[in-house]
Amino acid sequence: MLSAKAKDLIEQGKYDENLSYLYVCDFQKVAQYRKRLIRAVESFEKLFGSARDINIFSAPGRTEVGGNHTDHQRGRVLAASVNLDVIAVVAVNEGNRIQVKSEGYPMDALNAADLDVNETEYNTSIALIRGIVAQFNGLGYKIGGFDAYTTSNVLSGSGLSSSAAFEVLIGTMVNDLYCGGKESALKIAQIGQYAENIYFGKPCGLMDQAASSVGGFITIDFKDRALPKVQQIHFDLAKYGYALCIIDTKGSHSDLTPDYAAIPAEMKAVAAFFGKEVLSEIDETEFFASLARVREKAGDRAVLRAIHFFAENERVLKEVSALKSNDFDEFKRLIIESGYSSFMYLQDVFSPSHVQEQGVSLTLALCQKFLDSEGGAYRVHGGGFAGTVQSFVPVDFLDEFTAKMEAVLGEGSCHTLSVRPVGGTKIL
């Protein structure tokens, strides 16, 4: 569709129903998304010309619901896509030139025939694009050139994984434009993970990409590294009168790399005691029977983190069961239980090197004070130590809760989200 025609149809509200479903909002709020799409098309036209046949794609951010630090031990997780996303306006060009301009960043430009790993590109978006195109080429597809403009409202540093959303966006675009849409959402997620591991230089797991690509609530079992099991769970959070609130504690992630790295390292040290690589390969009964010797070899904190893993890994199954049986009260209880396990055993709510900075701990204490009597739930979100807390808040208490939290943490610290039912997708 020519860009001028696309703008007219968007302006006339022809896509309002789709946008309402995609962004989990009523028709009054659709207007802001309509304007966002039109602005994106206009930005594309300024960069790449107005007489272009365009498509529009979207890929959402994600939230980790259950399974705190279980993925790197090839355990289970529960995650969900959210109604914040990266969108792209894109048009195929006749050559091999790939150009992607992300709002606020320089243009990424590469040749679709030049797909070798380039270590000078580590930690850059162009590395992700190159890696994704390389993987599709490796599957036997002939990928040509395209021009794209992207813009994102996925909160940076929020633990909602804007990088995975970008990877899924590029993968979804390439799959549609050059592969006839033949590859599955899970395959697109795996392609994104490969690009991040090999081309970007970050040894991430698959949870972020899978949650963004598949959409809705999903559970993943990583036990089989090559073939993780992914299942979508149909559950309508809004039906129960609850909102998802991600609370920014305003903590800094700087100097926390050793804290993050210590968690998988200590868990793997426990696994190594039994001659295994990760904790999911160990029998829990054997672990507890050998506890005295494991303490001596790996240390108490490693043992406590292993205890968290075994309980959290089973807890994900219970959370999934609660959602499937529409037992929201049990689900909330398990969320709070997960949070306590992360605080006491996993110990990822503050850095032992920065004990005066405990924004996550304070935020959890406030959530307990304000939400326990209202039937809410809360837990540390993502990697921990700094960053965000996840809470499930009754909608009729949301305004009061937000005001109370922001009085302490600052204006704009509470972000109200919905679970988006759709992953990486083509809007137009």
Side-chain angles (χ1 to χ4, degrees):
M1 183 183 299
L2 292 177
S3 59
K5 178 68 172 177
K7 285 190 293 183
D8 286 342
L9 292 177
I10 295 168
E11 185 87 55
Q12 293 165 22
K14 299 297 184 181
Y15 294 94
D16 281 6
E17 187 172 347
N18 289 344
L19 295 176
S20 174
Y21 179 69
L22 189 67
Y23 293 109
V24 198
C25 67
D26 58 33
F27 282 97
Q28 281 186 321
K29 292 183 179 178
V30 162
Q32 63 182 303
Y33 297 107
R34 196 189 305 136
K35 290 177 182 176
R36 181 174 176 233
L37 291 183
I38 292 171
R39 284 196 302 267
V41 174
E42 290 172 344
S43 295
F44 173 91
E45 290 176 326
K46 289 177 183 176
L47 286 165
F48 303 115
S50 57
R52 301 291 298 276
D53 187 10
I54 64 165
N55 297 281
I56 302 177
F57 295 88
S58 161
R62 70 95 186 104
T63 180
E64 175 204 279
V65 179
N68 196 213
H69 281 281
T70 51
D71 57 336
H72 51 67
Q73 298 301 298
R74 300 213 300 273
R76 305 180 187 97
V77 298
L78 175 63
S81 57
V82 298
N83 59 336
L84 299 177
D85 64 345
V86 190
I87 61 171
V89 180
V90 58
V92 170
N93 63 45
E94 295 181 357
N96 275 334
R97 190 72 169 167
I98 294 173
Q99 299 183 106
V100 179
K101 174 67 169 73
S102 296
E103 184 181 26
Y105 296 91
M107 179 85 74
D108 288 322
L110 62 146
N111 191 309
D114 179 12
L115 300 176
D116 292 337
V117 176
N118 184 344
E119 293 185 5
T120 65
E121 293 178 346
Y122 277 1
N123 300 304
T124 65
S125 54
I126 195 170
L128 296 174
I129 300 165
R130 197 184 301 278
I132 290 166
V133 173
Q135 273 293 87
F136 276 107
N137 262 17
L139 293 172
Y141 298 107
K142 174 62 176 174
I143 310 302
F146 57 87
D147 302 316
Y149 174 82
T150 83
T151 180
S152 174
N153 63 7
V154 182
L155 305 168
S156 179
S158 63
L160 297 173
S161 200
S162 56
S163 59
F166 181 78
E167 293 160 25
V168 169
L169 179 73
I170 299 298
T172 303
M173 287 163 43
V174 172
N175 187 44
D176 181 271
L177 297 175
Y178 283 105
C179 312
K182 293 178 182 177
E183 297 302 327
S184 68
L186 179 57
K187 188 63 179 179
I188 290 170
Q190 290 172 319
I191 289 170
Q193 181 199 19
Y194 172 87
E196 189 160 343
N197 290 171
I198 306 303
Y199 282 73
F200 190 83
K202 180 181 177 182
C204 68
L206 184 64
M207 178 182 71
D208 296 352
Q209 293 86 350
S212 176
S213 191
V214 176
F217 281 100
I218 68 164
T219 183
I220 314 171
D221 187 338
F222 291 104
K223 188 150 192 175
D224 185 336
R225 192 201 304 269
L227 294 170
K229 296 178 181 177
V230 179
Q231 181 184 12
Q232 193 172 38
I233 303 153
H234 299 288
F235 183 84
D236 185 358
L237 183 64
K239 175 183 173 183
Y240 290 84
Y242 277 76
L244 172 65
C245 189
I246 299 296
I247 307 164
D248 185 357
T249 68
K250 307 294 178 71
S252 171
H253 287 85
S254 62
D255 301 324
L256 294 177
T257 299
D259 295 300
Y260 292 119
I263 294 179
E266 290 180 9
M267 287 183 175
K268 288 181 179 181
V270 173
F273 176 88
F274 297 94
K276 303 295 184 181
E277 181 189 359
V278 291
L279 289 177
S280 61
E281 299 174 326
I282 298 171
D283 178 73
E284 183 180 358
T285 303
E286 184 182 359
F287 163 75
F288 277 102
S290 308
L291 211 52
R293 291 184 294 130
V294 179
R295 284 185 68 193
E296 184 179 344
K297 184 70 174 177
D300 284 349
R301 190 171 70 169
V303 165
L304 288 167
R305 285 172 164 170
I307 289 172
H308 164 81
F309 169 83
F310 288 118
E312 185 79 345
N313 207 37
E314 289 302 309
R315 193 176 292 114
V316 169
L317 291 177
K318 296 175 184 177
E319 290 166 348
V320 169
S321 177
L323 290 179
K324 286 182 175 179
S325 60
N326 294 309
D327 189 346
F328 193 57
D329 286 337
E330 173 65 2
F331 172 76
K332 289 185 295 177
R333 187 192 70 79
L334 291 164
I335 290 296
I336 294 174
E337 185 179 275
S338 169
Y340 276 110
S341 180
S342 295
F343 206 141
M344 291 187 293
Y345 307 133
L346 182 61
Q347 301 178 39
D348 70 338
V349 294
F350 66 89
S351 168
S353 302
H354 302 81
V355 293
Q356 295 305 312
E357 299 173 20
Q358 297 198 33
V360 174
S361 307
L362 174 60
T363 302
L364 289 168
L366 293 173
C367 285
Q368 181 184 40
K369 179 174 177 61
F370 300 144
L371 288 179
D372 276 1
S373 61
E374 301 292 333
Y378 42 88
R379 69 190 280 275
V380 63
H381 183 238
F385 298 111
T388 55
V389 166
Q390 178 187 80
S391 58
F392 294 89
V393 183
V395 171
D396 57 7
F397 182 62
L398 185 60
D399 289 344
E400 184 178 344
F401 175 76
T402 299
K404 287 180 174 180
M405 296 301 291
E406 293 190 349
V408 178
L409 299 172
E411 187 176 353
S413 56
C414 287
H415 304 283
T416 303
L417 307 177
S418 296
V419 175
R420 164 171 151 160
V422 180
T425 190
K426 185 177 182 178
I427 296 178
L428 178 151

